[in-house]
Amino acid sequence: MFKVEVLIEHPVQALDRGFSYLSKKPILTGIRVQVPFNHRQVVGYVLSVEEVDLTQKELEERDGFKYSYIYSVIDEAPLLNNELITLAHRMSKMTICPLIACFQAMLPGTLKPSTHKMVGIKTITCVRVINTGTPKTTKQQEAFRLLVEKGEMFLKDIPYSRSVITSLEKQGLVEVYNKEVQRDPYAGNNLKINNKITLTPLQTSVVEGVLETSQMISLIHGVTGSGKTEVYIALTKKMLEENKTVLMLVPEISLTPMMERVFKERFHDEVAIIHSRLSQGEKYDEYRRIKKGEARIVVGARSAIFAPVENLGLIIMDEEHDMSYKQDNTPRYHTLSIAKMRAEKNHTKIVLGSATPSVETYARAKKGIYSLFEMKQRINGKPLPYCEVVDMGNESRQGNYSLMSRRMKQRLQETLDKKEQAMILLNKRGYASFIKCESCNEPIRCPHCDVTLTYHKAENRLKCHLCEYFIPTPHTCPNCGSTHLKKIGYGTQKIEEELEKQYPEAHIIRFDFDTTRNKNTHLKLLKDFEEHKADIMLGTQMIAKGLDFSNVTFVGVLMADLSLMVPDFRASERTFQLLCQVAGRSGRGEKQGTVMIQTFNPEHYAIKAAVKQDYDAFFKEEIAFRKKAKYPPYCHLVSVIVQSRSPKNVHSIALDISQYLKDHLEKVRIIGPQSTFKMQDIYRERILIKYIESKPIYEQLSIIDDYYNRTRKGGVIVACDFNPYSTY
């Protein structure tokens, strides 16, 4: 008999321990099993197995509780290798979260330790010849000759009835069987085979430098269009020659198809794809291909960092500054932190690439902690796009209250007249920001979150962008009953409507969360724009990174200072990065590109530096601010988030935790708690801690975690978010 420790599927701290079960047969650690738990059948993950000589009754008498037997074993082999199992334990401690949450983050949906419906191997019925002979009837003889000629055929493709095949099977001439079929997420894409890797002298020196440096992490700081992707390709080829595997990470799903295509055209079947837009079956098959070693290159978004590759040689993070690399729910990890753990274990190199690296990353590179490689010129000496700024304050003073300046309208018309393409950025989706009652002055708010509902004209409804709650657009104010409702602000839908009126001959693609939420719609929109089926692409920040269209010669940015208004210490950095990234979409082909940035704040250092594409000027200003205000890289941050359905509980316990931390920690700065914020009917208060030494922080936060999360004291949940991307 065997005693088995099982981790239950529910990711809460109170259940974050092994529960003991019995099995009559030995079981491998790291596989999923079905077990009885609290009068239900749930899925668990096997932590350890121990053979025991005692009977069930003797065990129960010794341990003082009743044992149950495991119902069934789900997997034939462990889902995760030893490296990833060890990583999950480290990750659990690093993020102060349940271990099962880390296992769930590592696995595709179909393989998570969960009772949800599971996807299996896809098969198709085939027929093949197994013997020689002469079938009885003419039809059978014809079918048999066809099968001899083909060797093997899908049953559905054989132009004879099922009864003919059954007769051949009974005569022992053919075999009908199920054959596994791989679900290919890249099926239907026309790939051009491209095995050439031609590097410029600068690219060659960067590749050689990365391979030769003794530092684990290298930063490639290259302007948009400088050829960083070709460097990634050359480094990957070198790894394959050494029989090593590569993780190629990109932040946005909208970027993944571009990088997928580049790598698929160079490395073909060696490439596997992992991101959230794949179907569950595609994820399942790609995961199995990686695990079996059939794919040595994994291209994907954040979750691809957990791909079960063996002999890992290189991790590449393109657009390393992007906020998508930070997971903002449990487990709250940063992809780079996980990459460092995997790199240490495998003696692997990490390459970070960006035209606008994060301030923390660039500071480490300048200090020599990371190797720094600069690529300040575009490929073949192509110039950076000409950039100009429009002061919208002047436009207003001259009587133009439109969201588009007269100069931008003129420049857009010139682009269309030359049969060239344009991209317009407005980082706000929807039609109007919100609807406000002119009688009582109250905006219409989400009942579940502390935000206004955004008006979406196409669906004629108001929608919450935090919880997806929506209602039909009301005709009267829910607060006072007045019919005097006014739409306030602009979103991508409204700009799309204005562009259609201004340029009726132009074809416009809107590229935002609403138009790309369905599977593969983002691929279709990108393909249509690449094939010049549209003249203008209007979108949110999704269009700012990684896209490469040779006919785009004009990029316009509306309301460039929107992101400066956010009460967050990274507001200037995000603004600069967004403007530089979207500007880099212009002039990537043979024609000169231009960029126009509209703002009410043209003198802000982030906007002035972005206009000149001058990262060094921005970094100099920003690092001075960070030093003065004691923000990263001059300290570490952790956000302690107190959550409950009761606002009273949240506030009183947040105050208690803040006081406890002040009493038990030295040489730290504690900010907050901030005022209560409701999201999805859960009230939250946040305490921000600035610190240098991490050990005492982890000690005290672990005590808080044990007290509130494991024992469920106070009716709250406390979450710890280390190095949060957002602090508001």
Side-chain angles (χ1 to χ4, degrees):
M1 188 165 62
F2 297 86
K3 181 182 168 187
V4 184
E5 293 294 307
V6 177
L7 196 61
I8 300 302
E9 65 178 283
H10 303 299
V12 294
Q13 291 287 32
L15 301 178
D16 189 33
R17 61 183 180 85
F19 289 85
S20 298
Y21 291 88
L22 298 179
S23 172
K24 291 177 181 176
K25 296 179 181 178
I27 298 176
L28 295 171
T29 58
I31 65 169
R32 292 172 301 165
V33 290
Q34 289 183 314
V35 295
F37 186 81
N38 197 24
H39 309 294
R40 291 174 55 217
Q41 182 172 314
V42 301
V43 171
Y45 190 90
V46 175
L47 291 176
S48 65
V49 181
E50 175 193 354
E51 188 170 6
V52 291
D53 297 327
L54 303 176
T55 64
Q56 180 178 353
K57 187 177 179 182
E58 288 169 339
L59 269 175
E60 290 173 346
E61 287 175 355
R62 186 194 74 181
D63 297 338
F65 60 85
K66 287 196 172 292
Y67 276 89
S68 298
Y69 275 88
I70 284 169
Y71 285 142
S72 62
V73 174
I74 297 172
D75 307 305
E76 293 180 1
L79 297 174
L80 301 171
N81 57 28
N82 290 334
E83 180 202 345
L84 291 175
I85 291 171
T86 303
L87 178 61
H89 284 271
R90 288 185 66 188
M91 187 173 156
S92 173
K93 290 185 175 67
M94 180 185 75
T95 58
I96 310 182
C97 79
L99 178 59
I100 195 70
C102 299
F103 286 138
Q104 289 172 335
M106 290 180 170
L107 295 165
T110 53
L111 294 174
K112 292 183 191 298
S114 167
T115 51
H116 296 159
K117 185 179 177 183
M118 299 169 195
V119 175
I121 296 169
K122 182 181 179 182
T123 60
I124 190 165
T125 306
C126 294
V127 183
R128 64 184 167 201
V129 175
I130 57 172
N131 262 320
T132 56
T134 304
K136 295 175 182 176
T137 68
T138 305
K139 284 275 186 193
Q140 291 170 15
Q141 289 167 10
E142 289 174 4
F144 187 62
R145 278 197 296 271
L146 177 65
L147 285 165
V148 169
E149 180 187 331
K150 299 287 186 182
E152 173 189 74
M153 290 185 73
F154 295 142
L155 179 63
K156 65 181 181 65
D157 294 337
I158 299 174
Y160 295 94
S161 68
R162 183 68 172 89
S163 61
V164 170
I165 304 303
T166 302
S167 297
L168 292 174
E169 189 179 17
K170 286 178 180 176
Q171 294 169 50
L173 298 174
V174 302
E175 177 188 19
V176 179
Y177 62 99
N178 288 326
K179 181 179 181 179
E180 181 180 348
V181 179
Q182 289 279 344
R183 287 163 275 222
D184 182 4
Y186 224 75
N189 286 274
N190 296 319
L191 294 173
K192 301 169 187 172
I193 303 304
N194 181 1
N195 293 319
K196 287 185 180 179
I197 298 179
T198 307
L199 301 179
T200 64
L202 176 58
Q203 288 171 326
T204 301
S205 71
V206 171
V207 170
E208 291 172 350
V210 169
L211 294 172
E212 291 169 6
T213 181
S214 58
Q215 301 281 24
M216 180 175 75
I217 302 176
S218 297
L219 169 64
I220 301 176
H221 177 210
V223 297
T224 53
S226 60
K228 293 187 292 294
T229 302
E230 285 300 309
V231 171
Y232 304 154
I233 292 284
L235 288 168
T236 299
K237 184 171 184 289
K238 181 68 176 173
M239 291 300 114
L240 295 189
E241 287 169 358
E242 295 177 8
N243 200 29
K244 293 181 178 177
T245 54
V246 176
L247 299 180
M248 175 68 235
L249 309 181
V250 293
E252 295 273 3
I253 291 166
S254 59
L255 298 185
T256 316
M258 310 292 268
M259 198 62 79
E260 281 170 21
R261 175 179 285 276
V262 170
F263 272 75
K264 278 276 190 183
E265 288 180 347
R266 302 298 180 93
F267 302 110
H268 324 305
D269 293 338
E270 292 275 17
V271 180
I273 299 157
I274 295 182
H275 59 72
S276 61
R277 290 286 174 90
L278 301 185
S279 71
Q280 295 290 7
E282 287 168 346
K283 288 179 190 173
Y284 179 74
D285 283 355
E286 291 292 86
Y287 189 86
R288 289 174 63 246
R289 281 184 64 220
I290 296 164
K291 200 163 187 305
K292 289 191 285 188
E294 293 173 4
R296 293 189 291 164
I297 304 166
V298 179
V299 177
R302 182 178 63 228
S303 61
I305 192 62
F306 300 117
V309 292
E310 301 287 349
N311 202 23
L312 181 59
L314 179 66
I315 301 171
I316 303 169
M317 287 176 61
D318 191 32
E319 310 289 1
E320 69 82 27
H321 64 275
D322 196 274
M323 65 181 293
S324 302
Y325 282 122
K326 180 73 167 68
Q327 174 142 317
D328 56 7
N329 52 25
T330 305
R332 291 175 167 84
Y333 66 89
H334 194 289
T335 308
L336 182 56
S337 299
I338 306 302
K340 287 176 181 176
M341 291 183 194
R342 296 204 73 175
E344 287 166 5
K345 173 71 177 174
N346 292 276
H347 307 292
T348 297
K349 288 185 178 293
I350 298 173
V351 171
L352 309 176
S354 177
T356 55
S358 70
V359 170
E360 294 97 310
T361 295
Y362 197 70
R364 289 187 183 107
K366 294 293 276 185
K367 202 173 178 181
I369 298 170
Y370 301 164
S371 291
L372 176 62
F373 300 95
E374 302 269 11
M375 299 174 70
K376 295 187 175 182
Q377 300 294 324
R378 281 189 160 185
I379 286 290
N380 301 329
K382 291 176 188 171
L384 286 166
Y386 169 73
C387 196
E388 63 178 297
V389 66
V390 176
D391 184 348
M392 293 304 286
N394 287 338
E395 289 285 312
S396 300
R397 286 187 286 274
Q398 293 170 21
N400 177 24
Y401 300 104
S402 165
L403 200 65
M404 291 178 67
S405 65
R406 289 163 293 189
R407 177 77 181 111
M408 183 174 286
K409 289 176 182 176
Q410 177 192 342
R411 186 67 190 84
L412 200 49
Q413 186 63 60
E414 291 169 2
T415 304
L416 297 174
D417 291 343
K418 289 189 283 187
K419 304 298 181 187
E420 294 168 358
Q421 291 171 290
M423 297 175 82
I424 304 293
L425 171 77
L426 174 65
N427 200 20
K428 201 168 187 65
R429 72 187 220 258
Y431 186 86
S433 296
F434 58 92
I435 290 181
K436 189 174 84 168
C437 174
E438 294 188 298
S439 297
C440 68
N441 218 30
E442 280 293 316
I444 300 177
R445 297 180 179 276
C446 174
H448 308 289
C449 308
D450 282 338
V451 293
T452 55
L453 294 173
T454 302
Y455 174 56
H456 288 249
K457 187 178 181 183
E459 303 96 333
N460 192 31
R461 62 189 186 184
L462 300 179
K463 189 188 296 184
C464 175
H465 288 176
L466 292 181
C467 72
E468 296 294 304
Y469 168 84
F470 65 88
I471 56 171
T473 304
H475 300 291
T476 58
C477 172
N479 186 50
C480 71
S482 169
T483 57
H484 299 290
L485 300 178
K486 186 177 182 181
K487 300 176 182 71
I488 307 292
Y490 292 84
T492 47
Q493 287 183 20
K494 189 166 187 177
I495 300 303
E496 179 183 29
E497 189 177 275
E498 290 196 6
L499 287 170
E500 286 170 347
K501 287 178 185 173
Q502 183 81 27
Y503 311 101
E505 77 286 0
H507 295 283
I508 300 163
I509 283 176
R510 177 162 57 86
F511 198 90
D512 57 23
F513 182 78
D514 298 308
T515 60
T516 61
R517 64 169 65 226
N518 296 325
K519 179 178 165 61
N520 291 336
T521 49
H522 65 299
L523 287 174
K524 183 182 183 306
L525 293 175
L526 292 173
K527 191 167 185 286
D528 287 349
F529 195 64
E530 185 178 22
E531 294 174 356
H532 206 160
K533 293 178 182 176
D535 306 292
I536 301 170
M537 177 178 279
L538 163 70
T540 57
Q541 64 179 356
M542 296 172 73
I543 70 169
K545 301 175 287 283
L547 304 182
D548 191 345
F549 301 111
S550 59
N551 198 43
V552 171
T553 58
F554 178 68
V555 167
V557 183
L558 309 178
M559 299 174 72
D561 32 27
L562 255 183
S563 49
L564 285 175
M565 301 172 190
V566 176
D568 189 273
F569 78 94
R570 285 196 176 96
S572 297
E573 181 181 18
R574 285 200 200 104
T575 302
F576 173 78
Q577 287 167 341
L578 182 63
L579 294 179
C580 286
Q581 291 290 335
V582 75
R585 303 312 107 209
S586 179
R588 296 177 76 91
E590 296 303 318
K591 302 166 187 171
Q592 170 67 34
T594 59
V595 180
M596 188 171 293
I597 297 172
Q598 295 187 170
T599 176
F600 284 95
N601 201 349
E603 294 305 310
H604 193 283
Y605 68 87
I607 290 175
K608 287 173 75 174
V611 168
K612 296 177 182 176
Q613 297 271 300
D614 189 343
Y615 182 86
D616 290 336
F618 166 75
F619 181 79
K620 185 179 177 182
E621 293 271 3
E622 184 68 12
I623 201 73
F625 155 68
R626 299 282 184 96
K627 186 175 184 179
K628 190 173 183 179
K630 293 289 188 295
Y631 275 112
Y634 296 99
C635 73
H636 297 294
L637 294 180
V638 60
S639 185
V640 181
I641 307 156
V642 185
Q643 307 169 80
S644 173
R645 291 190 177 273
S646 163
K648 184 179 176 182
N649 281 8
V650 162
H651 186 60
S652 64
I653 288 173
L655 287 172
D656 288 346
I657 290 173
S658 178
Q659 190 58 53
Y660 174 86
L661 292 169
K662 287 172 183 174
D663 292 342
H664 291 82
L665 290 173
E666 297 177 353
K667 297 180 182 177
V668 301
R669 173 101 189 274
I670 296 171
I671 304 169
Q674 296 170 352
S675 56
T676 307
F677 178 79
K678 183 174 71 167
M679 186 166 69
Q680 295 177 319
D681 291 320
I682 303 292
Y683 293 90
R684 294 165 167 79
E685 288 200 16
R686 183 190 297 263
I687 302 160
L688 191 66
I689 308 172
K690 296 180 180 180
Y691 66 97
I692 303 297
E693 191 181 345
S694 61
K695 187 179 177 183
I697 292 288
Y698 273 95
E699 287 173 354
Q700 296 306 324
L701 291 181
S702 295
I703 290 169
I704 290 170
D705 176 63
D706 280 340
Y707 184 79
Y708 289 107
N709 294 340
R710 290 187 188 277
T711 62
R712 300 294 185 94
K713 295 280 176 65
V716 300
I717 293 172
V718 180
C720 298
D721 188 4
F722 288 88
N723 299 311
Y725 191 83
S726 172
T727 56
Y728 65 94

